[in-house]
Amino acid sequence: MGKKKSIVLMVLLTIVIVILCAITVIPTFPIGVKDWNPVVMQNDFGADVNGGYYAYYYPKGIISETDYKNLDADKQEEYSSHKGLYFKNDTSLGVCVKNSDGTYSISEQFKEEFEATKNLIVSRYEKKGYSDFSVAVVDDYALKVQLPKSATLDVPGMDYQTTAFNTIGLFAEIGELELKQADKVIEERNDYEVNELIKKFSVITRYDYAWIKVEFTEVGKTMIKEFRESASTDTLNLYLGDIENPLMQISATEHVTTRNTVEYALRPVADIAYVETMVILLNSSLNVDASKYVAFEDIQQSDVCEYEAVHGENTLILLYVALAVITVGLIAFSIVKMGGFGVASAYSSVSYLIVVAMFYAFVSKGVFEFTLGSALAYVLGLVLMNVLNVHVYNAIKAEFALGKTVESSVKGGYRKTIWNMVDVYAVLLLGSITLLIGAAGLATFAWQAIICVVMGAFCNLLWTRVINVMLLSASKNKYKYFRFVREDDDDE
Amino acid sequence: MSKFLAKTVKKTALLSLILAVILAAAVALGIVGGLQGWGVFNKDAVLKDGNTVTVYMNTDTQVSKLDEVQAACESVFKACGEKPSHSFNGIKGMNGELLYVFDGDVDLKDVETALEAKFKDLVANDWAGDVVFITVATNTEKSATFLAEYYVLRGIIAGLALAALVFVYTVLRNGLEKGVAVGVATAGGVLLTTALLILTRIPVTASVAYVIGAAGLLSAALATMSINKIRTAEKSESAQGVDAAELVSSSLATKDIVLLGALGGAAIILMGAIATAGVRWFAIASLVALIVSVFMGLIYTPSLYIPLKKAVDNRPEKDAYVGAKKTSKKEKKAAEPAMKVEETPVEEAPAEEVVEEAPVEEAPAEEVAEEAPVEEAPAEEVVEEAPVEEAPAEEVVEEAPVEEAPAEEVVEETPVEETANDAE
């Protein structure tokens, strides 16, 4: 490549990289009425770096200490305390029993029902597949659920708190499923339970919509077939517990397929998370016998508390500062260690930063969150890329020591190291793909590791070499570029 | 350091024993922890059971007096001699909520009373005239779940699949013994990291899965680098006749792996030093994973490879031996009456058979049969070019004493054939 051509290309490349780097990392600042947000601030973040939401589930008849203290004195007398909770002295609620001395205490039956309810709530959140969540028992008879902010996907027209509330509110519903047609309960009419008619609920996507698909048992298929063939104008309504409005209003002509399933479009595909939550709720309610569980007080949106990162609001900023220092440190190390080749390696490091940041933010946005695992994958990928560049440099140096020209040494060095690098990256790629088997956070980490591995391989196998060719062509002294010294040069 | 590493790498049994002891200790501690309720891992404070103090305030207070409320809480905690492990600063609807979490054995009734008194005093004096509404409540929290069981199970399956796939790839690329070394090192990296996290009781959250996953990936990568270096050394001329242990211990990928360990360690330490406490424990766990991976790649993979290579080096002799033995039995029966070379067409059979298997060598074999003196040159060339094959030929001679007469003849007259053919 000619010298002038190389210089022009390098200048253009440098300008592009500087611009992209600026778009990626320049911190937030106001522009008019809006804020400029760099790429790195547009990720979905895990709770460990960006906080999340929590809410309490109180069984009906039980209130918190805060609510108790807000009651008038005469109202307070209607309650008894258990640790930090207060329960109403009303045995009809099924929470307490009256003792022989006139006091009230929690009943054994309520304890059993609460335990079963706790397990049901836990299973719902586990099935949701959050990388970061917790369910805790508060004072023995209330629950606290905690979700990362990334659980609240960016749904058009909704704020994050609304989407968090949707999940928290839906999962608090405890009740039995009921199928009704024109106010007649289907299962009672035929003396069946709902779980004897419906096998399972699932999510499908079609025509940019997220649908609930209902599969029926053999008995249920007969029932739904009759419904479809009747072409009734009444809808078949699915109710859950105390919720007034039906969750699904199934039309005989619109929703029942010829395969005797029901396919019900619920939300646009951007809000698929809501539909998935609904499906988990419905599946977990199929076998619920309301008499064996406790019902919770309705959750209002104002009951959901949004919190910042537990270890301080600066957790994310400090983490990014650390990553920036690491990146700059590795760039400086490359240049000091390898001279001109180190500059090529530095370009690769910056390219790696830009592409990985963009992939994290835009390709995986709404699907994966940026967590500590993401930072670890980035750091280890960047370190490996620089170490392999040093490996190539040492191979080039060894070739040069045999008396070859600089160009031959570069070719020879790459020839001798390329398969080692291919093996390392192939093993990493295969390993990252297998980690997709892991659920939730581990699958997220695997996807991000794949991004880092592919970009690292591109940088080591191709990009560094291309930039090196351009820089070498543009350099005045090829020996000085690589910091090589020839014996005859010493004589001079 | 090279000498130390070279010596350490040869101690396969000792290293394996140490690993086994560490894994066994971790399993034992995990079982005890699970039964006693401590948990297999030491959970981070954010996931532990605890007692909480909740300070609930109205919007005006949250907006204009949050810092003062926080300062008041901290002064009361200090006066009561208690310190929260962490806290949540939240917005609930339009109001504010501060949630302080203490260890599970702390009695917070005195703290609650002191806080209420403090806020009553502030409302009456410093905040007189302001619309301030604050309540204080205490609760206990017991973790019901933070990691789904199926999540842990799938993580374990993913780890095993990782080791298996890496093993298959390395076998296809480099052979069975190298594949075994890399596969075991990968699995060992995952298991040893998990074991050390259990034994050292480093506080973990669900993000421990990332650390263990990274350990597996890094162990696989470094083990691959190590094996590739050994493979390059094996192919070089200087490796001829060198003992497996010496060859492996002199061809460790020390520079690259140590450099990666040093740079990676520095990066992780920086991350832990600059970032907040929550990241610090994660950084320490990541450092454990890095150290384990470096150990697996630099020391354990070559160490494991040595006995495997020795076993493989022994294997081809037996195969050739079986072939020669069968032939020699036929030979014996056919050749017993006449012990002349001419009357031992069977002797030629092995050469012929071998020639069939190695058509390339037919020319030199024929040359050897007809023109013995000329054979020396090609034989020598063959010896130089395929030194490895000489050993099996010699061993065949040694292990088949019955055939000595014909075999010796074959060796003497057609050394090229045997060496070349054994190369097959």
Side-chain angles (χ1 to χ4, degrees):
Chain A
M1 187 183 286
K3 194 169 180 173
K4 283 184 186 171
K5 198 173 169 185
S6 303
I7 292 172
V8 167
L9 278 173
M10 278 312 304
V11 167
L12 286 173
L13 183 67
T14 306
I15 291 170
V16 168
I17 284 183
V18 166
I19 292 172
L20 288 175
C21 202
I23 292 171
T24 304
V25 300
I26 286 189
T28 305
F29 61 89
I31 302 177
V33 296
K34 291 186 179 178
D35 282 343
W36 156 262
N37 267 319
V39 168
V40 293
M41 294 305 287
Q42 299 194 36
N43 290 300
D44 289 325
F45 296 103
D48 42 12
V49 293
N50 204 32
Y53 298 92
Y54 67 79
Y56 291 92
Y57 291 171
Y58 295 103
K60 288 186 175 171
I62 291 181
I63 61 174
S64 66
E65 189 175 348
T66 302
D67 289 341
Y68 174 79
K69 286 178 177 176
N70 290 336
L71 294 174
D72 298 330
D74 53 347
K75 286 283 183 189
Q76 286 182 352
E77 287 175 7
E78 295 174 9
Y79 288 85
S80 300
S81 70
H82 173 84
K83 294 187 181 177
L85 297 176
Y86 291 81
F87 57 90
K88 204 161 188 187
N89 300 329
D90 183 352
T91 55
S92 66
L93 292 175
V95 175
C96 61
V97 290
K98 192 169 182 180
N99 300 318
S100 53
D101 58 0
T103 60
Y104 292 85
S105 58
I106 303 290
S107 69
E108 289 304 316
Q109 188 182 349
F110 178 81
K111 289 178 187 176
E112 288 174 13
E113 289 169 2
F114 181 80
E115 184 66 22
T117 309
K118 179 200 80 178
N119 293 334
L120 181 66
I121 297 293
V122 163
S123 72
R124 286 175 179 175
Y125 280 97
E126 286 181 347
K127 286 192 175 87
K128 189 72 178 138
Y130 293 126
S131 62
D132 215 339
F133 78 99
S134 72
V135 178
V137 176
V138 177
D139 290 331
D140 300 333
Y141 303 119
L143 294 177
K144 179 185 169 201
V145 298
Q146 204 167 302
L147 303 176
K149 256 191 198 152
S150 58
T152 56
L153 303 175
D154 192 8
V155 179
M158 276 197 208
D159 57 49
Y160 285 119
Q161 186 150 27
T162 304
T163 53
F165 162 66
N166 284 340
T167 304
I168 292 172
L170 277 175
F171 279 171
E173 293 296 331
I174 305 289
E176 293 178 14
L177 286 174
E178 208 170 54
L179 274 171
K180 281 184 181 177
Q181 184 180 6
D183 292 331
K184 289 179 187 169
V185 180
I186 294 281
E187 58 269 31
E188 283 178 1
R189 190 173 72 191
N190 295 307
D191 199 25
Y192 285 118
E193 301 291 336
V194 169
N195 60 7
E196 289 175 305
L197 296 173
I198 297 176
K199 196 193 293 184
K200 69 171 187 177
F201 299 87
S202 55
V203 180
I204 56 174
T205 54
R206 195 188 300 151
Y207 312 131
D208 287 335
Y209 255 77
W211 302 58
I212 295 181
K213 181 178 175 182
V214 187
E215 291 173 53
F216 294 88
T217 60
E218 291 306 316
V219 172
K221 281 180 183 173
T222 308
M223 183 265 310
I224 205 69
K225 187 180 173 187
E226 285 172 11
F227 175 66
R228 175 169 58 84
E229 287 171 351
S230 71
S232 169
T233 53
D234 292 329
T235 54
L236 195 62
N237 299 328
L238 182 69
Y239 290 87
L240 174 65
D242 297 335
I243 301 177
E244 279 185 34
N245 297 323
L247 300 181
M248 294 170 70
Q249 290 178 284
I250 302 165
S251 159
T253 50
E254 287 178 29
H255 300 122
V256 185
T257 69
T258 50
R259 291 181 304 278
N260 299 321
T261 62
V262 164
E263 291 177 2
Y264 190 86
L266 193 63
R267 290 282 177 106
V269 76
D271 200 10
I272 191 170
Y274 175 88
V275 182
E276 288 168 351
T277 303
M278 181 65 80
V279 162
I280 293 171
L281 173 70
L282 292 171
N283 279 326
S284 68
S285 301
L286 269 175
N287 297 309
V288 164
D289 176 355
S291 64
K292 293 181 181 167
Y293 294 86
V294 303
F296 293 112
E297 295 287 352
D298 290 338
I299 303 283
Q300 307 300 323
Q301 192 155 337
S302 58
D303 293 331
V304 177
C305 182
E306 177 185 352
Y307 68 92
E308 61 192 26
V310 170
H311 293 284
E313 59 187 3
N314 293 326
T315 299
L316 181 65
I317 301 298
L318 289 174
L319 180 63
Y320 275 157
V321 167
L323 294 178
V325 169
I326 290 165
T327 306
V328 169
L330 284 168
I331 287 172
F333 167 80
S334 301
I335 295 172
V336 165
K337 172 87 179 162
M338 300 183 283
F341 190 76
V343 175
S345 181
Y347 271 87
S348 279
S349 295
V350 177
S351 305
Y352 175 91
L353 160 70
I354 292 167
V355 173
V356 169
M358 287 192 175
F359 267 79
Y360 274 8
F362 300 129
V363 172
S364 64
K365 184 178 171 65
V367 182
F368 311 122
E369 55 260 33
F370 182 90
T371 63
L372 295 176
S374 318
L376 185 64
Y378 168 82
V379 165
L380 292 178
L382 186 63
V383 167
L384 179 68
M385 192 196 72
N386 279 275
V387 165
L388 288 176
N389 277 340
V390 171
H391 179 64
V392 170
Y393 176 78
N394 288 336
I396 294 171
K397 205 170 171 183
E399 290 290 298
F400 184 77
L402 295 175
K404 295 182 182 177
T405 62
V406 169
E407 287 81 6
S408 276
S409 301
V410 171
K411 277 187 190 167
Y414 267 102
R415 193 174 56 244
K416 290 201 169 173
T417 55
I418 194 160
W419 282 110
N420 186 27
M421 291 195 287
V422 167
D423 279 338
V424 167
Y425 280 113
V427 154
L428 283 173
L429 186 63
L430 289 172
S432 303
I433 290 170
T434 53
L435 287 183
L436 290 171
I437 296 171
L442 192 56
T444 302
F445 173 73
W447 277 115
Q448 290 162 343
I450 289 171
I451 292 168
C452 293
V453 165
V454 169
M455 190 56 200
F458 171 74
C459 286
N460 275 131
L461 298 172
L462 186 65
W463 193 230
T464 307
R465 193 168 182 178
V466 165
I467 295 175
N468 182 58
V469 163
M470 288 195 280
L471 287 173
L472 193 59
S473 301
S475 70
K476 287 182 186 175
N477 187 327
K478 294 179 182 179
Y479 298 139
K480 274 188 183 171
Y481 174 86
F482 276 106
R483 295 219 184 111
F484 293 161
V485 177
R486 267 259 135 86
E487 283 181 3
D488 46 5
D489 290 348
D490 285 341
D491 294 339
E492 290 170 13
Chain B
M1 182 161 108
S2 299
K3 282 186 185 172
F4 168 75
L5 287 173
K7 278 187 191 171
T8 309
V9 152
K10 292 176 189 173
K11 297 176 184 170
T12 312
L14 177 64
L15 291 171
S16 300
L17 181 64
I18 292 171
L19 287 181
V21 166
I22 292 174
L23 290 176
V27 168
L29 185 62
I31 291 172
V32 169
L35 291 172
Q36 293 293 324
W38 317 326
V40 175
F41 291 99
N42 181 22
K43 283 189 271 188
D44 189 85
V46 296
L47 296 171
K48 277 185 174 168
D49 296 348
N51 292 338
T52 63
V53 168
T54 307
V55 177
Y56 183 80
M57 67 201 96
N58 62 324
T59 310
D60 287 347
T61 311
Q62 196 273 333
V63 167
S64 60
K65 294 180 176 50
L66 180 61
D67 290 341
E68 293 172 67
V69 172
Q70 284 177 314
C73 292
E74 281 157 24
S75 69
V76 167
F77 297 149
K78 200 172 176 181
C80 294
E82 304 292 354
K83 190 179 176 189
S85 60
H86 60 283
S87 63
F88 295 84
N89 179 4
I91 307 288
K92 198 171 188 177
M94 298 296 289
N95 303 311
E97 189 168 286
L98 289 172
L99 179 69
Y100 293 94
V101 184
F102 297 80
D103 288 340
D105 53 0
V106 173
D107 185 354
L108 294 173
K109 281 297 168 197
D110 291 341
V111 172
E112 185 183 2
T113 308
L115 268 176
E116 284 175 334
K118 177 79 176 177
F119 287 130
K120 197 174 176 182
D121 181 55
L122 283 169
V123 167
N125 298 310
D126 295 17
W127 300 339
D130 295 335
V131 180
V132 174
F133 176 72
I134 293 186
T135 56
V136 179
T138 56
N139 300 97
T140 61
E141 280 186 19
K142 285 186 182 167
S143 175
T145 186
F146 72 101
L147 210 60
E149 278 178 10
Y150 80 94
Y151 179 84
V152 174
L153 186 63
R154 284 175 72 161
I156 292 170
I157 294 171
L160 293 172
L162 164 65
L165 205 58
V166 166
F167 162 73
V168 167
Y169 175 83
T170 311
V171 165
L172 291 173
R173 279 280 290 146
N174 297 319
L176 180 63
E177 64 281 7
K178 292 183 176 72
V180 170
V182 172
V184 170
T186 304
V190 171
L191 293 172
L192 186 60
T193 302
T194 311
L196 288 175
L197 289 176
I198 292 172
L199 287 172
T200 55
R201 312 306 288 170
I202 290 172
V204 298
T205 61
S207 58
V208 68
Y210 312 142
V211 171
I212 296 172
L217 291 176
L218 210 48
S219 296
L222 297 183
T224 301
M225 283 170 78
S226 198
I227 278 295
N228 281 352
K229 184 89 191 277
I230 293 170
R231 186 186 65 183
T232 306
E234 281 175 348
K235 284 185 174 174
S236 71
E237 293 176 4
S238 56
Q240 297 172 34
V242 177
D243 175 53
E246 288 305 318
L247 177 67
V248 169
S249 60
S250 63
S251 53
L252 300 177
T254 312
K255 271 189 191 170
D256 294 328
I257 294 179
V258 167
L259 180 63
L260 190 141
L263 288 178
I268 289 171
I269 288 170
L270 259 173
M271 197 164 78
I274 294 174
T276 57
V279 179
R280 224 156 273 150
W281 285 119
F282 178 80
I284 291 171
S286 302
L287 206 54
V288 168
L290 180 69
I291 292 169
V292 166
S293 302
V294 168
F295 168 77
M296 283 293 164
L298 184 59
I299 296 176
Y300 196 62
T301 300
S303 178
L304 197 57
Y305 179 65
I306 291 171
L308 293 171
K309 178 161 169 58
K310 283 181 180 170
V312 165
D313 286 347
N314 291 335
R315 215 194 320 131
E317 308 149 15
K318 289 179 185 175
D319 291 340
Y321 172 75
V322 170
K325 197 175 182 181
K326 281 182 184 174
T327 307
S328 70
K329 272 185 182 174
K330 282 185 190 175
E331 258 184 358
K332 272 179 75 178
K333 285 178 185 174
E336 263 176 13
M339 292 297 292
K340 296 176 187 175
V341 173
E342 292 174 356
E343 293 174 3
T344 55
V346 183
E347 296 161 35
E348 291 176 9
E352 287 172 6
E353 289 171 1
V354 175
V355 169
E356 287 172 340
E357 294 169 359
V360 179
E361 290 89 31
E362 277 183 10
E366 289 169 7
E367 289 172 7
V368 170
E370 296 169 10
E371 300 171 3
V374 180
E375 295 148 36
E376 288 176 358
E380 286 169 11
E381 287 172 2
V382 172
V383 166
E384 287 169 357
E385 292 169 3
V388 179
E389 291 90 38
E390 282 183 15
E394 290 167 15
E395 289 175 6
V396 168
V397 173
E398 291 170 66
E399 294 173 3
V402 179
E403 301 146 29
E404 268 181 17
E408 280 173 3
E409 289 172 4
V410 173
V411 168
E412 289 167 14
E413 296 177 359
T414 62
V416 175
E417 299 156 32
E418 290 192 297
T419 28
N421 292 332
D422 285 335
E424 295 297 299

